[in-house]
């Protein structure tokens, strides 16, 4: 249905959009209000012809950072969603430019916070906990990696491993905020409480800084 111009799937209690919705290349109008949609799949950003979008009355908490790529989008409605990123007050303006600017700043902020968390972990984790952390994050360290890292410090090994983990997940369109949450959950699971105390202090500080 690549030639489809308009699609209305409103009032159907739909929980998620199809992962391949981006294949509707000719879609100009999409109405999906009053459903239970929680997130937008990565392929959604391929709807380059989209001009009108109504996703009001759903369960969206965050919009994809790449929404600015939908440069043809003129009419948007995200009312009545529990949005946190961007916050409701920004989305109420119904201006793509305002939403895109907020998300860009939020991405930059998240990148800086994650980099600081990586540094905290690298400088404070023990060898044993590092091995446990790799298991929780499903990080496979190859023999080549072991050979390459055998001559560097634990701190440097941790940093390189986390950077590699971040790159691999970014290629899968995992957000920086999601990576941060995944890492902090893993640290809690392995009992790295001193590190978590430092990360919690960092979060409290960043929350106090006006954004």
């Amino acid at each position: 249905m690549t030639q489809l111009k308009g699609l209305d799937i409103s009032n159907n209690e739909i929980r998620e959009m199809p992962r391949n919705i981006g294949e509707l290349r000719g879609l100009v109008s999409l109405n999906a209000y009053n459903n239970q949609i929680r997130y937008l799949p990565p392929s959604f950003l391929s709807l380059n012809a989209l001009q009108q979008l109504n996703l009001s009355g759903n369960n969206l908490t965050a919009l994809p950072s790449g929404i600015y790529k939908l440069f043809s989008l003129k009419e948007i409605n995200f009312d009545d969603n529990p949005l946190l990123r961007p916050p409701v007050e920004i989305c109420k303006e119904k201006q793509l430019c305002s939403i895109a600017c907020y998300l860009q700043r939020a991405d930059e902020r998240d990148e800086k916070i994650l980099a600081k968390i990586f540094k905290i972990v690298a400088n404070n984790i023990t060898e044993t906990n590092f091995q446990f952390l790799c298991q929780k994050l499903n990080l496979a360290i190859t023999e080549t990696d072991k050979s390459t890292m055998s001559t560097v410090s634990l701190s440097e090994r941790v940093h390189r491993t986390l950077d590699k983990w971040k790159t691999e997940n970014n290629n899968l369109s995992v957000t920086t905020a999601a990576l941060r949450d995944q890492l902090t959950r893993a640290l809690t699971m392995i009992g790295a409480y001193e590190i978590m105390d430092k990360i919690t202090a960092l979060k409290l500080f960043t929350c106090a800084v006006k954004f």
Side-chain angles (χ1 to χ4, degrees), residues 117-125 133 158 162 187 195 199:
I117 290 176
F118 279 8
K119 187 174 182 180
I120 290 173
V121 175
N123 291 340
N124 294 277
I125 200 166
L133 182 63
V158 174
L162 291 176
L187 288 166
I195 294 176
I199 292 175

Side-chain angles (χ1 to χ4, degrees), residues 61-140:
T61 57
L63 299 180
S65 299
I67 198 168
Y68 69 88
K69 296 177 182 177
L70 303 179
F71 53 86
S72 297
L73 202 53
K74 299 174 182 176
E75 298 179 29
I76 53 176
N77 189 342
F78 296 112
D79 290 349
D80 300 320
N81 279 282
L83 280 162
L84 300 173
R85 178 191 173 94
V88 172
E89 55 268 24
I90 291 193
C91 292
K92 279 186 175 180
E93 297 176 7
K94 295 180 172 62
Q95 297 293 322
L96 183 61
C97 181
S98 300
I99 292 173
C101 286
Y102 177 92
L103 291 173
Q104 182 179 6
R105 293 197 306 271
D107 282 348
E108 292 171 353
R109 178 186 174 93
D110 286 345
E111 285 285 347
K112 291 178 181 178
I113 292 174
L114 187 61
K116 289 180 182 294
I117 290 176
F118 279 8
K119 187 174 182 180
I120 290 173
V121 175
N123 291 340
N124 294 277
I125 200 166
T126 64
E127 181 71 51
T128 301
N129 274 346
F130 175 49
Q131 299 302 322
F132 287 147
L133 182 63
C134 288
Q135 293 175 14
K136 294 299 181 184
L137 296 177
N138 295 317
L139 283 168

Side-chain angles (χ1 to χ4, degrees), residues 2-208:
T2 56
Q3 301 303 313
L4 187 68
K5 299 295 183 183
L7 177 62
D8 191 336
I9 53 174
S10 305
N11 302 303
N12 279 297
E13 298 185 2
I14 294 171
R15 294 187 177 182
E16 61 182 40
M17 286 191 176
R19 294 182 180 180
N20 59 346
I21 192 170
E23 294 178 17
L24 301 178
R25 303 287 183 177
L27 198 64
V28 175
S29 174
L30 173 58
N31 289 298
Y33 54 84
N34 292 340
N35 283 299
Q36 299 175 19
I37 298 169
R38 296 168 297 165
Y39 68 95
L40 301 177
S43 73
F44 182 84
L45 300 177
S46 297
L47 298 175
N48 296 322
L50 195 63
Q51 297 181 23
Q52 184 267 328
L53 174 64
N54 188 341
L55 284 168
S56 60
N58 278 284
N59 294 327
L60 294 170
T61 57
L63 299 180
S65 299
I67 198 168
Y68 69 88
K69 296 177 182 177
L70 303 179
F71 53 86
S72 297
L73 202 53
K74 299 174 182 176
E75 298 179 29
I76 53 176
N77 189 342
F78 296 112
D79 290 349
D80 300 320
N81 279 282
L83 280 162
L84 300 173
R85 178 191 173 94
V88 172
E89 55 268 24
I90 291 193
C91 292
K92 279 186 175 180
E93 297 176 7
K94 295 180 172 62
Q95 297 293 322
L96 183 61
C97 181
S98 300
I99 292 173
C101 286
Y102 177 92
L103 291 173
Q104 182 179 6
R105 293 197 306 271
D107 282 348
E108 292 171 353
R109 178 186 174 93
D110 286 345
E111 285 285 347
K112 291 178 181 178
I113 292 174
L114 187 61
K116 289 180 182 294
I117 290 176
F118 279 8
K119 187 174 182 180
I120 290 173
V121 175
N123 291 340
N124 294 277
I125 200 166
T126 64
E127 181 71 51
T128 301
N129 274 346
F130 175 49
Q131 299 302 322
F132 287 147
L133 182 63
C134 288
Q135 293 175 14
K136 294 299 181 184
L137 296 177
N138 295 317
L139 283 168
I141 301 178
T142 65
E143 291 301 321
T144 302
D145 291 335
K146 290 179 181 179
S147 176
T148 303
M149 294 184 179
S150 61
T151 58
V152 300
S153 65
L154 173 61
S155 175
E156 183 64 22
R157 280 192 288 133
V158 174
H159 223 300
R160 290 185 187 181
T161 302
L162 291 176
D163 283 338
K164 180 181 178 182
W165 170 70
K166 176 176 178 288
T167 301
E168 290 174 351
N169 280 276
N170 283 344
N171 291 337
L172 297 174
S173 300
V174 180
T175 65
T176 303
L179 287 177
R180 181 191 63 212
D181 293 342
Q182 186 179 344
L183 178 57
T184 52
R185 282 197 302 270
L187 288 166
T188 301
M189 292 171 67
I190 66 173
Y193 300 120
E194 290 185 9
I195 294 176
M196 282 305 304
D197 287 343
K198 295 178 184 295
I199 292 175
T200 300
L202 173 65
K203 287 182 177 180
L204 291 172
F205 173 76
T206 55
C207 287

